[in-house]
């Protein structure tokens, strides 16, 4: 065996050794190892300092790219904000200039508040929360010492993390399996909270203390069956978030690495640092026997290189050679990896009691073979992320946050495929290749940052232009890849440099803004977690970040955090002209502030008067691109078919009109994403159809888009009629009457087209039900007459965006 240690890159730093809950399944307090009783309650500043230095020394010695640290307990929030701040500062200071730091905290969430979240935002600390499902499931174990439920407090914490201000910090939910809970009910309760990831953990157990089973059979597969039911529900929903254990099985079946130490054969690179500085093996070993995690080492006396060659650590880095004979001969061993090391323990057996199959051996085999067989039976067509309920919800003209987020997930997949096509089809420059390698590394180590950049609405117009294949395509492709890599590097807060070819005098950083570079043909973007980032143009370096002053060359994107909605004005991206109307140039601060005021008032109006549209809009619309105002004063708005998540609008005179344009155009955004997923009509249909609001015949998709968008227009005038007064209310009534009749007529044309698929007929039928419900609203006869006269007068005019 190589005498040099396999480096450790993952550390659990114990901030506090007590807890404010009394969970009866907790391996720290309720299982065999009781070493917590003799440890300091809170980690000291001295231990934090030397632990950070030990980690930095180890990272420097082994040239680690990234160190992963989880602040843990007990309950780490009990350590208090100042101690947590000290931990973050110590780690950042020690690792500065050595490697990137992925810092996380795992909490029960019961005391999480905005002050904690502000601290975590300051140091980019991702937050994981323990939750076992709905209240009934959670209350089986996760209670206070007096028996009181903690469920409401945890939901409050999750709501806080789901707010636009802190959503980027939310790492996911951790759930311990209990067979008494229905797996589908548990999954639905957790998925309904829209976490970015869910971890399902098998309860820690050994052959001496086997897990509870309904039939008390050690060979039963009840836990595997439970997880397979979760898998089936997750898959039917389109796999809307990561599920670590299921993703790990899928990855290992493809020959990739696992995402968890409980599966796969990859070496374990984990060490625990206790509140007194003791260096220990994984916490899960506390379930085996008293003292099982101990190594006899501590940060004061021992380096992490010494820890890395401890026999207990080395035993978990031997791959197949570290498993018992039964495991080595198992057909699923490369996925299973023998299961979690602690779960193999049986007193009196070989290699310290761990040379055994997992006590969950049958369950893991059932899970892995079940997923393998399901994947083998899948049709070549990809699973659609929309189930019937979500499709029906969107078909009504509305669509809640969950349905729209599923659309967004699919659109991100499309963008990723387009990016891969651009790279495949392009002639690769050295600069482009280096940027692509940076992007690939970030995709593995900071996927949230890459996803955020690749979800940029104007990636697709760039990709389509790069794929055109003309003389400019290669330069456009390589510049765009470098821009995406630079933006992802900055968002991830990682050290590194990306060289970006420039064009038109501007370096764009998608989702962030743009930098004016003048005549320079290239610039270098250097990332850094503390100072922000640096752009070097020629001999001059510009630093952009919270510790630097305003730089006139930096055009930051205008981003507004409104209550329940985070939205940005895009006035820097050169590909934002996809909407078919001239775009505004860079907005002045005063103009951006006017936009903010209008957006805030429009959003408040939508939430109050059009509440059925608000959740979906907040989930899927994150960019408004300012368009150039019409010389005639007409309202202008548009949604580009290939720019999911964005609409283009020339700012109207009133926030109420802006509210109408927002909900109207976002209808086009939603339907465009639905049409990317499924055929609602025969794509070979060449017949043209008349829309009641246009003089020219339209292709079927054009009629479908216009009709779907006008459902929102009908509801806008319906709401304005209800809230306005005097002549404004009378005008709103006329317009409501007009648009509901014309939209109903368009639905009838669609239904009678003969070109709808079965799904399309179902979709249009639901649209019709929404419009029919509006036809029952009483309207004064004179208003109805005026509406029909106005419709006739406008027959020759075109409605923008429809």
């Amino acid at each position: 065996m190589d005498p040099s240690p396999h480096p450790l890159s993952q550390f659990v730093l114990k901030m506090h050794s007590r807890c404010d809950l009394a969970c009866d399944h907790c391996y720290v307090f309720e299982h065999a190892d009781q070493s917590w009783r003799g440890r300091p309650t809170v980690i000291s500043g001295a231990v934090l300092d030397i632990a950070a230095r030990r980690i930095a020394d180890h990272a420097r010695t082994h040239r680690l790219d990234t160190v992963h640290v989880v602040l843990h307990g007990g309950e780490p929030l009990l350590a208090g904000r100042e101690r947590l701040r000290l931990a973050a500062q110590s780690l950042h200071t020690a690792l500065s200039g050595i490697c990137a730091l992925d810092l996380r905290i795992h909490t029960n969430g019961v005391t999480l508040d905005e002050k904690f979240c502000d601290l975590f935002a300051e140091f980019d600390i991702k937050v994981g929360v323990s939750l076992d499902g709905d209240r009934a499931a959670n209350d089986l174990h996760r209670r206070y010492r007096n028996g009181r439920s903690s469920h409401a407090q945890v939901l409050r914490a999750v709501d806080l993390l789901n707010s636009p201000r802190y959503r980027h910090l939310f790492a996911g939910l951790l759930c311990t399996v209990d067979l008494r809970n229905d797996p589908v009910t548990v999954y639905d309760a957790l998925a309904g909270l829209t976490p970015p990831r869910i971890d399902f953990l098998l309860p820690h157990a050994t052959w001496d203390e086997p897990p509870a089973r309904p039939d008390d059979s050690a060979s039963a597969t009840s836990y595997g069956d439970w997880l397979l039911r979760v898998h089936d529900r997750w898959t039917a929903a389109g796999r809307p978030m990561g599920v670590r254990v299921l993703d790990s099985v899928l990855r290992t079946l493809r020959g990739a690495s696992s995402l968890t130490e409980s599966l796969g054969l990859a070496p374990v690179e984990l060490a625990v640092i206790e509140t007194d500085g003791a260096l220990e093996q994984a916490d899960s070993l506390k379930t085996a026997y008293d003292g099982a995690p101990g190594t006899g080492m501590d940060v004061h006396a021992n380096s992490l290189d010494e820890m890395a060659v401890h026999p207990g650590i080395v035993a978990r880095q031997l791959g197949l050679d570290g498993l018992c004979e039964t495991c080595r001969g198992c057909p699923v061993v490369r996925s299973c990896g023998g299961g979690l090391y602690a779960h193999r323990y049986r007193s009196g057996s070989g290699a310290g009691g761990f040379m055994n199959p997992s006590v969950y051996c049958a369950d893991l085999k059932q899970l892995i073979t079940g997923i393998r067989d399901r994947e083998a039976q899948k049709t070549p067509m990809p699973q659609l992320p929309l189930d019937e309920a979500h499709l029906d919800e969107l078909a009504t003209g509305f669509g809640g946050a969950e349905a729209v987020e599923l659309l967004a997930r699919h659109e991100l997949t499309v963008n990723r495929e387009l990016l891969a096509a651009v790279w495949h089809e392009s002639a690769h420059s050295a600069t482009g290749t280096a940027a692509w390698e940076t992007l690939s590394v970030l995709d593995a180590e900071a996927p949230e940052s890459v996803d955020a950049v690749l979800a940029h609405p104007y990636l697709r117009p760039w990709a389509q232009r790069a794929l055109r294949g003309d003389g400019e395509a290669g330069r456009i492709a390589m510049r765009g890849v470098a821009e995406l890599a630079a933006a992802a590097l900055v968002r991830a807060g990682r050290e590194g440099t990306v060289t970006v070819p420039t064009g038109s005098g501007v370096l764009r950083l998608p989702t962030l803004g743009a930098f004016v570079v003048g005549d320079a043909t290239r610039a270098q973007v250097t990332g850094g977690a503390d100072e922000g980032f640096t752009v070097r143009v020629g001999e001059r370096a510009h630093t952009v970040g919270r510790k630097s002053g305003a730089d006139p060359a930096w055009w930051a994107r205008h981003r507004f955090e409104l209550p329940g909605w985070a939205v940005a004005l895009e006035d820097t991206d050169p590909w934002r002209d996809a909407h078919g109307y001239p775009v505004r140039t860079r907005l002045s601060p005063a103009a951006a502030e006017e936009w903010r005021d209008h957006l805030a008032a429009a959003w408040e109006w939508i939430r109050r008067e059009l509440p059925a549209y608000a959740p979906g809009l907040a989930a899927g619309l994150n960019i408004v691109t300012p368009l150039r105002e019409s010389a005639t004063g007409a309202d202008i708005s548009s949604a580009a078919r290939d720019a999911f998540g964005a609409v283009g609008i020339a700012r109207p005179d009133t926030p109420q009109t802006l509210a109408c344009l927002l909900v109207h155009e976002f209808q086009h955004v939603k339907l465009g994403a639905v049409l990317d997923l499924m055929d609602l009509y025969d794509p070979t249909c060449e017949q043209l159809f008349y829309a009641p609001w246009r003089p020219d015949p339209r292709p079927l998709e054009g009629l479908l888009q216009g009709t779907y968008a006008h459902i929102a227009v009908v509801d806008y005038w319906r709401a304005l009629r209800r809230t306005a007064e005097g002549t404004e209310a009378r005008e709103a009534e006329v317009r409501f009457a007009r648009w509901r009749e014309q939209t109903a007529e368009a639905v009838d044309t669609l239904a009678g087209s003969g070109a709808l698929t079965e799904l399309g007929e179902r979709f249009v039928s639901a649209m019709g039900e929404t419009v029919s419900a509006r036809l029952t609203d009483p309207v004064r006869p004179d208003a109805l007459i005026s509406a029909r006269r106005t419709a006739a007068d406008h027959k020759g005019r075109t409605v923008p965006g429809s």
Side-chain angles (χ1 to χ4, degrees):
M1 185 180 70
D2 187 341
S4 62
H6 186 94
L8 304 172
S9 64
Q10 302 169 28
F11 301 93
V12 172
L13 186 57
K14 293 301 190 78
M15 299 299 301
H16 202 281
S17 63
R18 305 296 189 270
C19 190
D20 42 9
L21 295 183
C23 308
D24 59 12
H25 59 359
C26 180
Y27 57 88
V28 174
F29 301 113
E30 303 296 333
H31 285 204
D33 183 88
Q34 292 291 297
S35 57
W36 63 273
R37 296 180 182 276
R39 290 212 160 96
T41 302
V42 185
I43 194 168
S44 68
V47 171
L48 284 174
D49 180 65
I50 193 169
R53 285 191 281 115
R54 291 291 194 193
I55 293 172
D57 290 344
H58 192 69
R60 183 187 296 108
T61 298
H62 297 280
R63 299 181 180 180
L64 299 180
D65 293 325
T66 304
V67 162
H68 308 269
V69 179
V70 179
L71 307 180
H72 211 278
E75 170 48 49
L77 296 187
L78 292 179
R81 285 186 294 276
E82 290 311 310
R83 193 57 53 93
L84 292 172
R85 174 183 294 277
L86 182 59
Q89 289 174 332
S90 298
L91 289 164
H92 276 288
T93 299
L95 291 167
S96 178
I98 298 174
C99 69
L101 171 63
D102 174 21
L103 186 56
R104 298 172 182 255
I105 189 167
H106 195 87
T107 173
N108 59 35
V110 298
T111 60
L112 187 71
D113 59 18
E114 290 189 1
K115 291 183 179 179
F116 275 121
C117 287
D118 288 340
L119 170 65
F120 300 154
E122 180 181 349
F123 291 97
D124 194 28
I125 303 174
K126 301 298 189 293
V127 186
V129 178
S130 295
L131 182 66
D132 285 350
D134 59 9
R135 174 164 180 163
N138 201 66
D139 283 357
L140 284 179
H141 301 287
R142 298 190 184 277
R143 291 177 172 270
Y144 290 93
R145 296 194 184 281
N146 62 5
R148 181 165 57 92
S149 171
S150 65
H151 189 253
Q153 287 78 11
V154 182
L155 290 190
R156 178 193 51 74
V158 173
D159 285 344
L160 185 61
L161 290 170
N162 266 326
S163 66
R165 183 177 177 185
Y166 301 122
R167 174 69 186 183
H168 66 291
L169 301 176
F170 193 9
L173 299 174
L174 181 147
C175 170
T176 300
V177 174
D178 190 312
L179 296 179
R180 292 172 291 178
N181 297 323
D182 177 70
V184 172
T185 301
V186 169
Y187 170 80
D188 285 349
L190 299 177
L193 300 174
T194 63
R197 181 181 295 278
I198 301 174
D199 283 359
F200 287 102
L201 298 185
L202 294 171
H204 289 319
T206 68
W207 288 101
D208 291 355
E209 296 288 340
R213 297 182 185 272
D215 58 2
D216 294 326
S217 170
S219 62
T221 60
S222 45
Y223 286 92
D225 295 332
W226 198 98
L227 288 171
L228 277 175
R229 289 188 61 197
V230 170
H231 168 273
D232 293 345
R233 183 69 165 185
W234 174 62
T235 299
R239 300 177 179 176
M241 78 288 294
V243 176
R244 194 181 300 269
V245 63
L246 303 180
D247 282 326
S248 293
V249 172
L250 290 165
R251 286 171 60 89
T252 54
L253 286 172
R254 298 193 301 266
S257 61
S258 172
L259 301 174
T260 169
E261 64 169 320
S262 62
L263 291 169
L265 292 169
V268 173
E269 301 175 346
L270 173 71
V272 177
I273 303 174
E274 288 284 355
T275 56
D276 58 359
L279 289 169
E280 295 206 334
Q281 302 175 69
D283 263 5
S284 56
L285 286 171
K286 293 179 182 295
T287 201
Y289 57 88
D290 196 17
T295 64
M297 302 182 191
D298 66 71
V299 293
H300 302 284
N302 303 100
S303 70
L304 290 173
D305 273 12
E306 292 176 89
M307 174 69 174
V309 295
H310 183 275
I313 299 291
V314 172
R316 307 177 69 192
Q317 297 175 343
L318 299 177
L320 277 173
D321 292 338
L323 301 180
C324 68
E325 184 177 351
T326 301
C327 290
R328 289 198 299 270
C330 179
V332 299
V333 65
R334 296 196 177 275
S335 285
C336 172
L340 191 68
Y341 192 69
H343 296 171
R344 307 174 201 169
Y345 180 74
R346 187 198 302 265
S347 58
S349 59
F354 295 98
M355 193 58 75
N356 308 290
S358 169
V359 73
Y360 290 104
C361 177
D363 298 286
L364 293 173
K365 189 171 184 178
Q366 177 81 346
L367 175 64
I368 294 164
T369 57
I371 292 177
R372 180 199 64 194
D373 294 345
R374 284 161 170 78
E375 289 294 297
Q377 294 168 6
K378 286 175 64 175
T379 62
M381 291 297 291
Q383 178 90 26
L384 295 179
L386 287 180
D387 58 20
E388 291 185 359
H390 287 122
L391 180 62
D392 290 344
E393 183 184 339
L394 288 162
T396 62
F398 310 124
E402 185 175 272
V404 173
E405 284 171 355
L406 292 174
L407 293 178
R409 184 181 177 90
H410 179 261
E411 294 296 293
L412 174 60
T413 300
V414 174
N415 284 359
R416 281 181 166 273
E417 292 172 352
L418 277 171
L419 176 60
V422 168
W423 183 250
H424 178 73
E425 295 294 329
S426 301
H428 303 161
S429 66
T431 298
T433 299
W436 182 263
E437 290 174 354
T438 296
L439 197 58
S440 300
V441 170
L442 290 170
D443 200 23
E445 298 181 354
E448 303 93 343
S449 300
V450 176
D451 280 349
V453 173
L454 299 191
H456 182 52
Y458 299 119
L459 180 146
R460 201 173 301 184
W462 159 77
Q464 291 168 339
R465 177 63 183 84
L467 290 169
R468 191 178 296 176
D470 58 20
E472 289 293 314
R475 286 190 290 273
I476 290 171
M478 291 302 99
R479 183 166 65 240
V481 168
E483 290 168 339
L484 294 168
L489 181 73
V490 171
R491 292 187 68 101
R494 300 300 179 94
E495 301 287 345
T497 298
V498 177
T499 300
V500 186
T502 56
S504 304
V506 174
L507 160 68
R508 74 163 185 157
L509 292 175
T511 74
L512 298 171
F515 205 91
V516 179
V517 297
D519 297 333
T521 59
R522 63 180 54 213
Q524 288 185 322
V525 179
T526 300
D530 295 326
E531 295 294 331
F533 64 99
T534 300
V535 178
R536 180 174 291 279
V537 183
E539 297 300 318
R540 186 176 179 187
H542 305 257
T543 298
V544 181
R546 66 176 185 271
K547 297 183 180 179
S548 62
D551 189 324
W554 171 239
W555 292 351
R557 193 168 63 164
H558 313 286
R559 189 173 187 274
F560 308 132
E561 291 276 0
L562 306 179
W565 184 32
V567 62
L569 293 178
E570 181 57 85
D571 60 352
T572 66
D573 194 299
W575 301 102
R576 69 188 188 281
D577 60 357
H579 296 281
Y581 291 90
V583 297
R584 283 285 305 270
T585 55
R586 173 69 173 172
L587 297 176
S588 68
E593 191 59 28
E594 289 176 351
W595 261 105
R596 187 199 183 286
D597 292 344
H598 265 56
L599 284 167
W603 175 237
E604 182 181 355
W605 198 89
I606 291 169
R607 295 177 78 191
R608 184 177 67 248
E609 306 300 341
L610 296 172
Y613 293 89
L617 188 147
L621 181 60
N622 51 62
I623 283 181
V624 174
T625 294
L627 303 179
R628 194 180 303 164
E629 292 79 3
S630 167
T632 64
D635 293 328
I636 295 177
S637 64
S638 179
R641 179 70 167 79
D642 295 313
F644 179 86
V647 298
I649 295 176
R651 185 170 64 82
D653 292 334
T654 69
Q656 285 182 344
T657 303
L658 179 56
C660 179
L661 299 178
L662 286 169
V663 295
H664 176 184
E665 297 303 342
F666 190 60
Q667 294 290 91
H668 290 299
V669 173
K670 287 187 294 186
L671 185 57
V674 171
L675 291 172
D676 280 347
L677 274 168
M678 58 192 67
D679 289 329
L680 299 184
Y681 61 91
D682 181 355
T684 66
C685 175
E686 297 182 355
Q687 184 180 351
L688 300 179
F689 301 85
Y690 279 95
W693 47 82
R694 295 185 68 112
D696 53 327
R698 306 278 287 156
L700 189 60
E701 180 175 342
L703 177 61
L704 180 61
Q705 282 276 7
T707 307
Y708 191 73
H710 275 86
I711 292 176
V713 174
V714 170
D715 280 345
Y716 168 79
W717 290 111
R718 184 184 187 220
L720 192 61
R721 171 199 182 199
R722 183 178 63 246
T723 59
E725 297 179 352
T727 57
E728 187 181 11
R730 288 192 291 273
E731 176 65 17
E733 184 176 29
V734 171
R735 297 202 180 199
F736 168 62
R738 171 194 170 190
W739 289 118
R740 71 175 183 176
E741 285 199 349
Q742 291 190 320
T743 307
E745 180 184 342
V747 169
D748 290 341
T749 302
L750 287 168
S753 66
L756 298 177
T757 63
E758 184 177 347
L759 275 177
E761 291 175 352
R762 175 174 172 172
F763 197 92
V764 169
S765 176
M767 290 168 55
E769 290 176 7
T770 299
V771 178
S772 295
R774 307 301 182 252
L775 292 173
T776 63
D777 284 12
V779 172
R780 291 178 296 109
D782 62 319
L784 192 58
I785 293 171
S786 295
R788 290 171 179 168
R789 183 182 300 120
T790 303
D793 291 344
H794 284 74
K795 197 72 173 179
R797 300 182 187 173
T798 300
V799 178
S802 300

